[in-house]
Amino acid sequence: MSEQDNRRVFLRHPSDVPIDFDLAGVVADEHEHLVDISAGGLSFHALRALPVDALITVRIPVNRPQFAAVARVVRCVPEEGRFQVGVAFLQVADGFRARMAEQVCHIEQYKREVREREGRELTGTQAALEWIGRHAADFPQFRP
């Protein structure tokens, strides 16, 4: 595996990215937290177990308009007092839209890190340009 491939495998997802879900009118008690996003779906931590095969609406409330998609629960595994829930998107285009939302999350995290580490306040555009210049090559490509 080349060094570039290795960086892509280990690009960390922001752990504080909020995700909401709605299961037949039951809304998440609080923002849950994203674990991973791929072209086919995503996983997140939840306070409650979700039934496998249930259809849910997931939302990542960080962009405008916010990302929202219907997905099927494919796994729900207990994990340290919570549950790791994996869902599969029902529409291929939702995978691409979720990847775009993930990039926005990374850029927002970068903006916060720069403020904390360097004391610089970046606009969204400045943060995006810097993040893209430094990390876009490491961001895994979308493969439907």
Side-chain angles (χ1 to χ4, degrees):
M1 181 179 291
S2 74
E3 183 177 331
Q4 184 174 3
D5 290 336
N6 195 36
R7 281 195 316 260
R8 285 187 179 156
V9 170
F10 294 108
L11 180 69
R12 293 183 57 185
H13 296 277
S15 59
D16 61 346
V17 174
I19 185 166
D20 296 327
F21 69 87
D22 180 330
L23 169 66
V26 177
V27 178
D29 296 327
E30 62 179 47
H31 284 308
E32 307 299 356
H33 291 89
L34 185 66
V35 174
D36 197 12
I37 298 176
S38 71
L42 56 81
S43 64
F44 60 93
H45 288 124
L47 290 174
R48 66 178 72 187
L50 299 178
V52 171
D53 288 330
L55 293 181
I56 67 171
T57 300
V58 293
R59 289 176 299 285
I60 301 174
V62 295
N63 333 12
R64 295 287 175 247
Q66 74 178 350
F67 168 80
V70 176
R72 181 177 310 282
V73 176
V74 294
R75 75 175 181 286
C76 184
V77 180
E79 186 177 275
E80 299 178 14
R82 300 185 72 122
F83 297 89
Q84 185 167 343
V85 178
V87 300
F89 296 126
L90 299 184
Q91 302 290 323
V92 173
D94 291 336
F96 176 75
R97 290 179 36 244
R99 297 294 286 170
M100 298 308 296
E102 182 185 22
Q103 284 184 336
V104 169
C105 296
H106 279 284
I107 291 165
E108 286 300 313
Q109 181 181 30
Y110 175 77
K111 191 173 159 181
R112 284 191 307 272
E113 288 173 356
V114 166
R115 181 177 50 246
E116 292 169 6
R117 194 175 51 240
E118 301 173 20
R120 289 191 299 138
E121 289 290 335
L122 298 174
T123 66
T125 301
Q126 290 169 326
L129 291 172
E130 284 187 23
W131 185 87
I132 289 167
R134 293 177 185 189
H135 303 288
D138 297 332
F139 198 76
Q141 293 182 5
F142 175 77
R143 294 194 173 119

Coordinates of all heavy atoms in Angstrom, one line a residue, residues 11-71:
L11 N -7.9 8.5 7.2 CA -8.4 9.9 7.3 C -9.5 9.8 8.4 O -10.4 9.0 8.3 CB -9.0 10.4 6.0 CG -9.6 11.8 6.1 CD1 -8.5 12.8 6.3 CD2 -10.4 12.1 4.8
R12 N -9.3 10.6 9.5 CA -10.3 10.5 10.6 C -11.5 11.3 10.3 O -11.4 12.4 9.7 CB -9.6 11.0 11.9 CG -8.5 10.2 12.3 CD -7.9 10.7 13.6 NE -9.0 10.7 14.6 CZ -8.8 11.2 15.8 NH1 -7.7 11.7 16.2 NH2 -9.8 11.3 16.6
H13 N -12.6 10.7 10.7 CA -13.9 11.5 10.6 C -14.0 12.3 11.8 O -13.7 11.9 12.9 CB -15.1 10.5 10.5 CG -15.0 9.6 9.2 ND1 -15.4 10.1 8.0 CD2 -14.5 8.4 9.0 CE1 -15.2 9.1 7.1 NE2 -14.7 8.1 7.7
P14 N -14.6 13.5 11.6 CA -14.8 14.3 12.8 C -15.8 13.6 13.8 O -16.9 13.2 13.3 CB -15.5 15.6 12.3 CG -15.2 15.6 10.8 CD -15.0 14.2 10.4
S15 N -15.4 13.4 15.0 CA -16.2 12.7 15.9 C -17.4 13.5 16.5 O -18.2 12.9 17.2 CB -15.4 12.1 17.0 OG -14.7 13.1 17.7
D16 N -17.3 14.8 16.4 CA -18.4 15.6 17.0 C -19.4 16.0 15.9 O -20.2 16.9 16.2 CB -17.8 16.8 17.6 CG -17.0 17.7 16.7 OD1 -16.7 17.3 15.5 OD2 -16.7 18.8 17.1
V17 N -19.5 15.4 14.8 CA -20.5 15.7 13.8 C -21.8 15.2 14.2 O -22.0 14.0 14.5 CB -20.1 15.1 12.4 CG1 -21.2 15.3 11.4 CG2 -18.8 15.6 11.9
P18 N -22.8 16.1 14.4 CA -24.1 15.7 14.8 C -24.9 15.0 13.7 O -24.7 15.3 12.6 CB -24.8 17.0 15.2 CG -24.1 18.0 14.4 CD -22.7 17.5 14.2
I19 N -25.7 14.0 14.1 CA -26.6 13.4 13.2 C -28.0 13.2 14.0 O -28.0 12.9 15.1 CB -26.1 12.1 12.7 CG1 -27.0 11.5 11.6 CG2 -25.8 11.1 13.8 CD1 -26.3 10.4 10.8
D20 N -29.0 13.4 13.3 CA -30.4 13.2 13.8 C -31.0 12.1 13.0 O -30.7 11.9 11.9 CB -31.2 14.5 13.7 CG -30.7 15.6 14.6 OD1 -30.1 15.4 15.6 OD2 -30.8 16.8 14.1
F21 N -32.0 11.5 13.7 CA -32.8 10.5 12.9 C -34.2 10.5 13.4 O -34.5 11.0 14.5 CB -32.2 9.1 13.1 CG -32.4 8.5 14.5 CD1 -33.5 7.8 14.8 CD2 -31.3 8.6 15.4 CE1 -33.7 7.3 16.1 CE2 -31.5 8.1 16.7 CZ -32.6 7.4 17.0
D22 N -35.1 10.0 12.5 CA -36.5 10.0 12.8 C -36.9 8.6 12.3 O -36.7 8.2 11.2 CB -37.2 11.0 11.9 CG -38.7 11.1 12.1 OD1 -39.3 10.0 12.4 OD2 -39.2 12.2 11.9
L23 N -37.5 7.8 13.3 CA -38.0 6.5 13.0 C -39.5 6.5 13.2 O -40.0 6.5 14.3 CB -37.3 5.5 13.9 CG -37.9 4.1 14.0 CD1 -37.7 3.4 12.6 CD2 -37.2 3.3 15.1
A24 N -40.3 6.5 12.1 CA -41.7 6.5 12.2 C -42.3 7.5 13.2 O -43.1 7.2 14.0 CB -42.2 5.0 12.5
G25 N -41.8 8.7 13.1 CA -42.3 9.8 13.9 C -41.5 9.9 15.3 O -41.7 10.8 16.0
V26 N -40.7 8.9 15.6 CA -39.9 9.0 16.9 C -38.6 9.6 16.5 O -37.8 9.1 15.7 CB -39.7 7.6 17.5 CG1 -38.8 7.7 18.7 CG2 -41.0 6.9 17.8
V27 N -38.4 10.8 17.1 CA -37.2 11.6 16.8 C -36.1 11.3 17.8 O -36.4 11.0 19.0 CB -37.5 13.1 16.8 CG1 -36.3 13.9 16.5 CG2 -38.6 13.4 15.7
A28 N -34.8 11.3 17.4 CA -33.7 11.1 18.3 C -33.9 12.0 19.5 O -34.3 13.2 19.4 CB -32.4 11.3 17.6
D29 N -33.5 11.6 20.7 CA -33.6 12.3 22.0 C -32.6 13.5 22.0 O -32.9 14.5 22.6 CB -33.3 11.5 23.2 CG -34.4 10.4 23.4 OD1 -35.5 10.6 23.0 OD2 -34.0 9.3 23.8
E30 N -31.5 13.4 21.3 CA -30.5 14.4 21.2 C -29.8 14.2 19.9 O -30.0 13.2 19.2 CB -29.5 14.2 22.4 CG -28.8 12.9 22.4 CD -27.8 12.7 23.5 OE1 -28.2 13.0 24.7 OE2 -26.7 12.3 23.3
H31 N -28.8 15.1 19.6 CA -28.0 14.8 18.4 C -27.2 13.6 18.7 O -26.5 13.5 19.8 CB -27.0 16.0 18.2 CG -27.6 17.2 17.6 ND1 -28.4 17.2 16.5 CD2 -27.6 18.5 18.0 CE1 -28.8 18.4 16.2 NE2 -28.3 19.2 17.1
E32 N -27.2 12.6 17.8 CA -26.3 11.5 18.0 C -25.0 11.9 17.3 O -24.9 13.0 16.8 CB -27.0 10.3 17.3 CG -28.4 10.0 17.8 CD -28.5 9.7 19.3 OE1 -27.5 9.6 20.0 OE2 -29.6 9.5 19.8
H33 N -24.1 11.0 17.2 CA -22.8 11.4 16.6 C -22.4 10.4 15.5 O -22.4 9.2 15.6 CB -21.7 11.5 17.6 CG -21.9 12.6 18.5 ND1 -22.7 12.6 19.6 CD2 -21.6 13.9 18.4 CE1 -22.8 13.8 20.2 NE2 -22.1 14.6 19.5
L34 N -22.0 11.0 14.3 CA -21.6 10.2 13.2 C -20.3 9.5 13.5 O -19.4 9.9 14.2 CB -21.3 11.3 12.0 CG -20.9 10.7 10.7 CD1 -22.1 10.0 10.1 CD2 -20.5 11.9 9.8
V35 N -20.2 8.2 13.0 CA -19.0 7.4 13.1 C -18.3 7.4 11.7 O -17.1 7.6 11.6 CB -19.3 6.0 13.6 CG1 -18.1 5.1 13.5 CG2 -19.9 6.0 15.0
D36 N -19.1 7.1 10.6 CA -18.5 6.9 9.3 C -19.5 7.1 8.2 O -20.7 7.0 8.5 CB -17.9 5.5 9.2 CG -16.9 5.3 8.1 OD1 -16.5 6.3 7.5 OD2 -16.6 4.1 7.8
I37 N -19.0 7.6 7.1 CA -19.9 7.7 5.9 C -19.2 7.1 4.7 O -18.0 7.1 4.6 CB -20.1 9.2 5.5 CG1 -20.7 10.0 6.6 CG2 -20.9 9.4 4.2 CD1 -20.9 11.5 6.3
S38 N -20.0 6.4 3.9 CA -19.5 5.8 2.7 C -20.5 6.1 1.6 O -21.6 6.6 1.9 CB -19.3 4.3 2.8 OG -20.5 3.6 2.9
A39 N -20.2 5.6 0.4 CA -21.2 5.8 -0.7 C -22.5 5.1 -0.4 O -23.6 5.6 -0.9 CB -20.6 5.3 -2.0
G40 N -22.4 4.0 0.3 CA -23.6 3.2 0.5 C -24.4 3.5 1.7 O -25.6 3.1 1.8
G41 N -23.8 4.2 2.7 CA -24.6 4.4 3.9 C -23.7 5.2 4.9 O -22.7 5.8 4.6
L42 N -24.1 5.1 6.2 CA -23.3 5.7 7.2 C -23.6 4.9 8.5 O -24.5 4.1 8.6 CB -23.7 7.2 7.4 CG -25.1 7.6 7.6 CD1 -25.6 7.5 9.1 CD2 -25.3 9.0 7.2
S43 N -22.8 5.2 9.5 CA -23.0 4.7 10.8 C -22.9 5.8 11.9 O -22.2 6.8 11.6 CB -22.0 3.5 11.1 OG -20.7 4.0 11.2
F44 N -23.6 5.6 13.0 CA -23.6 6.6 14.0 C -23.9 5.9 15.3 O -24.3 4.8 15.4 CB -24.7 7.7 13.7 CG -26.1 7.2 13.6 CD1 -26.9 7.2 14.7 CD2 -26.6 6.7 12.4 CE1 -28.2 6.7 14.6 CE2 -27.9 6.3 12.3 CZ -28.7 6.2 13.4
H45 N -23.6 6.7 16.4 CA -23.9 6.2 17.8 C -25.2 6.7 18.2 O -25.6 7.8 17.9 CB -22.8 6.7 18.8 CG -21.5 6.0 18.6 ND1 -20.3 6.7 18.4 CD2 -21.2 4.7 18.6 CE1 -19.4 5.8 18.3 NE2 -19.8 4.6 18.4
A46 N -26.0 5.8 18.8 CA -27.4 6.2 19.3 C -27.6 5.8 20.7 O -26.9 4.8 21.2 CB -28.4 5.6 18.4
L47 N -28.4 6.5 21.4 CA -28.8 6.1 22.8 C -29.7 4.9 22.8 O -29.7 4.2 23.8 CB -29.4 7.3 23.5 CG -28.5 8.5 23.8 CD1 -29.3 9.6 24.4 CD2 -27.4 8.1 24.7
R48 N -30.5 4.7 21.8 CA -31.4 3.6 21.8 C -31.2 2.6 20.6 O -30.6 3.0 19.6 CB -32.8 4.1 21.7 CG -33.1 4.8 20.4 CD -34.5 5.3 20.2 NE -34.7 6.4 21.1 CZ -35.8 7.0 21.4 NH1 -36.9 6.6 20.8 NH2 -35.9 8.1 22.2
A49 N -31.6 1.4 20.8 CA -31.5 0.4 19.7 C -32.5 0.7 18.7 O -33.6 1.1 19.0 CB -31.7 -1.0 20.3
L50 N -32.1 0.5 17.4 CA -33.1 0.6 16.3 C -33.2 -0.7 15.7 O -32.3 -1.5 15.5 CB -32.5 1.6 15.3 CG -32.3 3.1 15.8 CD1 -31.7 3.9 14.7 CD2 -33.6 3.7 16.3
P51 N -34.5 -1.1 15.3 CA -34.7 -2.4 14.7 C -34.1 -2.5 13.3 O -34.2 -1.6 12.5 CB -36.2 -2.5 14.6 CG -36.8 -1.1 14.8 CD -35.7 -0.3 15.5
V52 N -33.4 -3.6 13.1 CA -32.8 -3.9 11.7 C -34.0 -4.0 10.7 O -35.1 -4.5 11.0 CB -32.0 -5.2 11.8 CG1 -31.6 -5.6 10.4 CG2 -30.8 -5.0 12.7
D53 N -33.8 -3.5 9.6 CA -34.7 -3.3 8.4 C -35.7 -2.2 8.6 O -36.4 -1.9 7.7 CB -35.5 -4.6 8.2 CG -34.6 -5.7 7.6 OD1 -33.7 -5.3 6.8 OD2 -34.9 -6.9 7.8
A54 N -35.6 -1.4 9.7 CA -36.5 -0.3 9.8 C -36.0 0.8 8.9 O -34.8 1.0 8.6 CB -36.5 0.3 11.3
L55 N -37.0 1.6 8.3 CA -36.6 2.7 7.5 C -36.6 4.0 8.4 O -37.5 4.2 9.2 CB -37.7 3.0 6.4 CG -37.7 1.9 5.3 CD1 -38.8 2.2 4.3 CD2 -36.4 1.7 4.7
I56 N -35.5 4.7 8.3 CA -35.4 5.9 9.1 C -35.0 7.1 8.2 O -34.4 6.9 7.1 CB -34.4 5.8 10.3 CG1 -32.9 5.6 9.7 CG2 -34.7 4.6 11.2 CD1 -31.9 5.7 10.8
T57 N -35.2 8.3 8.6 CA -34.7 9.5 8.0 C -33.5 10.0 8.8 O -33.7 10.1 10.0 CB -35.8 10.6 7.9 OG1 -36.9 10.1 7.2 CG2 -35.3 11.8 7.2
V58 N -32.4 10.1 8.2 CA -31.2 10.6 8.9 C -30.9 12.0 8.3 O -31.2 12.3 7.2 CB -30.0 9.7 8.7 CG1 -30.1 8.4 9.3 CG2 -29.6 9.5 7.2
R59 N -30.5 12.9 9.2 CA -30.1 14.3 8.9 C -28.8 14.6 9.5 O -28.5 14.3 10.7 CB -31.2 15.2 9.4 CG -32.5 15.1 8.7 CD -33.6 16.0 9.3 NE -33.9 15.6 10.7 CZ -34.6 14.6 11.1 NH1 -35.1 13.7 10.2 NH2 -34.9 14.3 12.3
I60 N -28.0 15.4 8.8 CA -26.7 15.9 9.3 C -27.0 17.4 9.3 O -26.9 18.1 8.2 CB -25.5 15.5 8.4 CG1 -25.4 14.0 8.4 CG2 -24.2 16.1 9.0 CD1 -24.3 13.5 7.4
P61 N -27.2 18.0 10.4 CA -27.7 19.4 10.5 C -26.5 20.4 10.5 O -26.5 21.4 11.3 CB -28.5 19.5 11.8 CG -27.8 18.4 12.6 CD -27.4 17.4 11.7
V62 N -25.5 20.3 9.6 CA -24.4 21.2 9.6 C -24.4 22.1 8.3 O -23.8 23.1 8.3 CB -23.1 20.5 9.8 CG1 -23.0 19.9 11.2 CG2 -22.8 19.5 8.7
N63 N -25.0 21.7 7.3 CA -25.1 22.5 6.1 C -26.4 23.1 5.9 O -27.4 22.7 6.5 CB -24.9 21.7 4.8 CG -24.1 20.4 4.8 OD1 -23.9 19.9 5.8 ND2 -23.9 19.9 3.7
R64 N -26.5 24.1 5.0 CA -27.7 24.6 4.5 C -27.8 24.5 3.1 O -26.9 25.0 2.4 CB -27.8 26.1 4.9 CG -27.9 26.3 6.4 CD -29.2 25.9 7.0 NE -29.2 25.9 8.5 CZ -29.3 24.9 9.3 NH1 -29.3 23.7 8.8 NH2 -29.3 25.0 10.5
P65 N -28.7 23.8 2.5 CA -29.7 23.0 3.2 C -29.1 21.8 3.9 O -28.1 21.3 3.4 CB -30.7 22.6 2.1 CG -29.9 22.5 0.9 CD -28.8 23.6 1.0
Q66 N -29.6 21.3 5.0 CA -29.1 20.2 5.7 C -29.2 18.9 4.9 O -30.2 18.8 4.1 CB -29.6 20.1 7.1 CG -31.0 19.5 7.1 CD -31.5 19.4 8.6 OE1 -30.8 19.5 9.5 NE2 -32.8 19.1 8.7
F67 N -28.3 18.0 5.0 CA -28.4 16.7 4.4 C -29.5 15.9 5.1 O -29.6 15.8 6.3 CB -27.1 15.9 4.5 CG -27.2 14.5 4.1 CD1 -27.2 14.1 2.8 CD2 -27.3 13.5 5.1 CE1 -27.3 12.8 2.4 CE2 -27.5 12.2 4.7 CZ -27.5 11.8 3.4
A68 N -30.4 15.3 4.3 CA -31.4 14.4 4.8 C -31.6 13.3 3.8 O -31.6 13.5 2.6 CB -32.7 15.1 5.0
A69 N -31.8 12.1 4.3 CA -32.0 10.9 3.4 C -32.8 9.8 4.1 O -32.6 9.7 5.3 CB -30.7 10.4 2.8
V70 N -33.5 9.0 3.4 CA -34.1 7.9 3.9 C -33.2 6.7 3.8 O -32.5 6.6 2.8 CB -35.5 7.5 3.2 CG1 -36.1 6.2 3.7 CG2 -36.4 8.7 3.4
A71 N -33.0 5.9 4.8 CA -32.1 4.8 4.9 C -32.7 3.6 5.6 O -33.6 3.8 6.4 CB -30.8 5.2 5.5

